[in-house]
Amino acid sequence: MTDNIELTHQQARAFRPDKLSPPRDFLVPNIIGENKDNVPLILEVGAGKGKHALSFAAQNADKHLIAIERTRNKFEAFAKLATMQNASNLDAIHADAIAWIVHAIAPNSVAKIFILYPNPEQHNPNQQWLNMPFFEFLLSRLQVGGEVTLVTNIEAYMDNAEQQATDTWSLPNERYQVIDDSQRTHFEVKYLARGETCWELCMQKPEGYKTRFDDWQVDAVNQKIA
């Protein structure tokens, strides 16, 4: 990114991280405070029952995945499987992702973020991920060159996300059609089996990218380490 690119998101209403309290039973995984080997840190937002998280951890021993799920019954199913798999490079977190990320993740520390088949929020488009002021904060946690991968079966959601990535967030991005035999999540398996088209948008944080939260961080003294 060059200095003459206008970052329109910095003119929009700003997210207020200082207004968010930590999630109930808030814990920070050891990897965040003890990553001396600089293992790439990966986030998954909305992990569901953990199909993608468990597979990713098994196939990427050189990376550490923190997978967050808010819904209790889905998280409990995920946590049970994660305990059985016992992967040292996976942390399953039961929390609201926005509040947890605000209180746990440092600026410029995440290599990749997965948002796979989020709620399409068709009746409340302001809650779609790339429409939310929080997305600027999320980008501040991403390393330069880091990626956000968004996947959905709703073409209108993807059309909007692609436009927002370019026009609002000034992110280089590429859009793909998910291959027919992909099985990353239970939703993906179901949608592709029904013959639906699923879309993937890969966005990258370029060199020189600035947000209003690049230096904002919660006081780590008050955090509890899991």
Side-chain angles (χ1 to χ4, degrees):
M1 176 174 292
T2 59
D3 292 338
N4 63 355
I5 291 181
E6 182 180 6
L7 298 181
T8 57
H9 64 266
Q10 294 194 15
Q11 303 172 10
R13 178 170 61 91
F15 177 65
R16 293 294 306 274
D18 55 301
K19 299 295 185 182
L20 283 183
S21 300
R24 180 180 298 178
D25 300 323
F26 176 62
L27 292 174
V28 179
N30 287 330
I31 186 66
I32 290 177
E34 300 179 359
N35 192 9
K36 298 177 182 178
D37 296 326
N38 293 319
V39 175
L41 184 63
I42 316 297
L43 284 183
E44 182 173 354
V45 177
K49 296 180 180 180
K51 182 175 174 61
H52 172 262
L54 295 162
S55 176
F56 183 92
Q59 296 173 20
N60 295 272
D62 60 332
K63 300 177 177 64
H64 194 103
L65 175 62
I66 297 175
I68 311 167
E69 174 55 42
R70 180 176 61 183
T71 306
R72 178 172 295 278
N73 64 338
K74 291 181 180 179
F75 174 78
E76 288 177 349
F78 173 25
K80 182 178 179 180
L81 293 172
T83 299
M84 293 172 61
Q85 183 165 309
N86 194 29
S88 62
N89 64 331
L90 172 64
D91 283 293
I93 300 293
H94 183 214
D96 173 81
I98 293 177
W100 193 88
I101 289 169
V102 163
H103 285 272
I105 302 297
N108 192 40
S109 64
V110 177
K112 187 163 187 174
I113 300 168
F114 289 103
I115 307 175
L116 306 180
Y117 300 95
N119 186 332
E121 301 287 359
Q122 291 171 300
H123 300 295
N124 190 11
N126 288 334
Q127 293 300 309
Q128 294 180 8
W129 283 100
L130 275 80
N131 292 348
M132 291 193 292
F134 171 73
F135 196 72
E136 181 183 358
F137 186 91
L138 189 63
L139 293 174
S140 76
R141 310 296 99 172
L142 196 65
Q143 297 171 347
V144 172
E147 296 181 347
V148 180
T149 296
L150 173 74
V151 188
T152 181
N153 66 318
I154 306 295
E155 188 170 10
Y157 190 114
M158 180 55 65
D159 290 343
N160 175 71
E162 184 178 22
Q163 181 178 0
Q164 291 287 74
T166 300
D167 295 344
T168 299
W169 304 110
S170 304
L171 297 172
N173 61 87
E174 292 189 70
R175 176 174 173 169
Y176 307 94
Q177 183 173 326
V178 176
I179 59 175
D180 292 341
D181 60 351
S182 186
Q183 299 184 14
R184 286 174 293 190
T185 77
H186 293 96
F187 283 126
E188 189 162 85
V189 171
K190 179 175 69 173
Y191 297 147
L192 293 175
R194 295 195 308 216
E196 296 185 27
T197 299
C198 296
W199 303 99
E200 179 170 330
L201 185 68
C202 293
M203 299 159 272
Q204 187 175 60
K205 182 177 179 179
E207 187 76 31
Y209 196 87
K210 302 293 183 183
T211 80
R212 289 170 284 189
F213 306 103
D214 291 343
D215 299 317
W216 194 97
Q217 187 172 4
V218 172
D219 184 358
V221 173
N222 296 322
Q223 296 182 351
K224 296 183 290 183
I225 305 298

